[in-house]
Amino acid sequence: MQLSFSPIGTIHSPFKQKFAIPRQPGLVKEAQGLLELLPPYDHPDTLAGIEDFSHLWIIFVFHQTMNKGWSNQVRPPRLGGNRKKGVFATRSTFRPNPAGLSVVEFMGLIKEKNKLYLKLGGIDLLDGTPVIDIKPYLPYSDSIPDATAGFANKMPDTSMQVEFTKQAEDFCFSIREQYPQIKPFIISLLKQDPRPAYKKQKKTVQEYAMSLYNFNIRWTTENNICSVFSISPD
Ligand code: SAH
């Protein structure tokens, strides 16, 4: 059977590339984005009652990697990238059907110039992600406090220290009006240690960069310290 879905919305996210996006939702609270509803779904009627929910499930398509195929087994970053698990035992992006599922904070509706947006918090979504459905999170059924989760039983380690050079600090200060949370946001992202697993074993200084909003953030990682040494417009 061949099924086909069309997007009901599109994500506007500060994450312009895959690198350094949190590996699950809720890990970085400052990661906020907008879900723009597409016609004919962009009518307030489709959302009536949604304002009473604090969290939503977002079902989306891993559009940026969907043409890269999949395999029976993947190496989750959690396991140091060197042990394999079955694709259906992981949240890998490389799946037979590239469907993603994220529970996010619902921060309210925004109506602007004939467009209708849902403001979302704690996202792990790339800019431009196509959304195929939205469902309310139901704590009585969806929250399972005594659930077990195998190799991903605990929150990822966030013991990484994050430092800013004066240039980086000053830049954050200069954009504070429009981006008041930029510094805590960068700190939370780097505390997730976005490095690929095989790099984490290396003792040498490593240099990285990411695009966030329209800024280019550059940092080094050495042992357990990230040093943000440059932030500049893209
Ligand atoms: N919570 C989702 C996603 C987990 S994988 C789920 O469990 O299904 C999270 C990773 O997906 C992020 O780190 C990011 O690198 C990647 N990602 C997010 N949006 C994407 C997109 N549109 N296309 C490809 N990869 C994406």
Side-chain angles (χ1 to χ4, degrees):
M1 186 173 25
Q2 193 69 34
L3 304 171
S4 102
F5 299 112
S6 358
I8 57 109
T10 310
I11 294 290
H12 298 272
S13 163
F15 303 118
K16 308 299 177 192
Q17 56 180 51
K18 273 195 71 190
F19 180 59
I21 301 182
R23 294 190 169 104
Q24 283 302 337
L27 297 173
V28 175
K29 308 274 176 247
E30 298 89 348
Q32 297 178 359
L34 298 177
L35 194 175
E36 176 186 347
L37 286 184
L38 298 173
Y41 317 103
D42 59 341
H43 192 282
D45 279 0
T46 65
L47 299 171
I50 207 164
E51 60 281 1
D52 297 329
F53 292 88
S54 65
H55 291 78
L56 302 173
W57 289 107
I58 305 297
I59 305 172
F60 61 95
V61 175
F62 291 117
H63 74 302
Q64 201 179 80
T65 47
M66 60 188 281
N67 296 326
K68 294 202 172 153
W70 64 281
S71 46
N72 283 338
Q73 298 216 315
V74 297
R75 299 169 203 268
R78 278 292 186 120
L79 294 173
N82 50 23
R83 282 160 58 204
K84 289 185 173 175
K85 294 284 173 188
V87 62
F88 299 130
T90 76
R91 304 284 286 254
S92 167
T93 55
F94 303 101
R95 325 183 66 81
N97 293 306
L101 179 67
S102 293
V103 65
V104 299
E105 189 184 343
F106 176 48
M107 306 178 74
L109 290 177
I110 299 176
K111 285 178 211 147
E112 220 174 59
K113 296 187 204 132
N114 295 332
K115 292 203 173 190
L116 191 53
Y117 301 92
L118 292 88
K119 189 170 179 194
L120 308 178
I123 62 172
D124 59 347
L125 307 169
L126 189 65
D127 193 41
T129 295
V131 172
I132 55 174
D133 209 354
I134 304 167
K135 300 189 188 200
Y137 173 83
L138 302 180
Y140 77 86
S141 171
D142 295 343
S143 163
I144 307 171
D146 55 353
T148 55
F151 66 87
N153 219 3
K154 285 196 309 217
M155 289 280 275
D157 174 41
T158 53
S159 61
M160 180 72 78
Q161 299 294 303
V162 183
E163 296 171 351
F164 285 63
T165 61
K166 184 157 183 340
Q167 189 280 333
E169 188 93 45
D170 288 350
F171 193 88
C172 291
F173 189 73
S174 72
I175 57 170
R176 69 191 179 285
E177 299 262 301
Q178 208 185 343
Y179 301 96
Q181 291 294 317
I182 190 81
K183 192 177 171 198
F185 186 13
I186 295 170
I187 294 174
S188 299
L189 286 174
L190 298 189
K191 276 188 159 292
Q192 295 291 321
D193 196 355
R195 288 178 296 170
Y198 74 97
K199 293 260 189 174
K200 293 187 186 176
Q201 280 112 40
K202 300 210 168 148
K203 292 274 177 278
T204 48
V205 184
Q206 299 152 52
E207 200 176 308
Y208 297 94
M210 76 175 295
S211 285
L212 195 62
Y213 301 106
N214 47 351
F215 306 117
N216 183 31
I217 322 268
R218 296 171 66 198
W219 72 96
T220 55
T221 306
E222 186 177 16
N223 300 318
N224 218 31
I225 301 177
C226 279
S227 178
V228 182
F229 65 88
S230 154
I231 307 179
S232 55
D234 260 342

